[in-house]
Amino acid sequence: MSDTSLYSRLGGYDAVATVVDDFSTAIINDPKLEKYFHSLSEDSLKKVRQLTVDFLCESTGGPCFYLG
C-alpha cells in the first residue's frame, strides 16, 4: 500500500477541480436533473462547484477544508 494520499495520486487540486467541472457541466445540462439547477444564479453555481471541490479535496487527503 502506498503512503501517497489518494489526493496526490489523483493529481492534486487541479485534477480534482477539472473532474468537478466536467461532472458539473454534465449534470447541469442533463434534462432529468435540470429542474434542480435552473433556478440557481451564476454565483450559486460557483459556490456549489467550490464546495464540491473542497469536499473531494479534503475527503481524499488533500489540504482543503470543507465548510459545507
Side-chain angles (χ1 to χ4, degrees):
M1 184 126 156
S2 175
D3 290 337
T4 307
S5 69
L6 176 56
Y7 173 79
S8 294
R9 292 185 312 228
L10 290 172
Y13 187 90
D14 291 339
V16 171
T18 299
V19 169
V20 170
D21 289 341
D22 290 346
F23 182 71
S24 297
T25 300
I27 64 169
I28 288 169
N29 294 321
D30 187 316
K32 293 178 183 175
L33 301 173
E34 177 185 30
K35 64 183 175 184
Y36 299 106
F37 300 100
H38 79 276
S39 64
L40 295 179
S41 69
E42 197 66 33
D43 287 339
S44 294
L45 289 172
K46 287 179 183 179
K47 182 177 180 180
V48 168
R49 179 227 182 245
Q50 190 60 54
L51 287 171
T52 306
V53 170
D54 291 345
F55 173 77
L56 290 174
C57 176
E58 181 179 359
S59 64
T60 58
C64 302
F65 186 72
Y66 176 66
L67 295 173

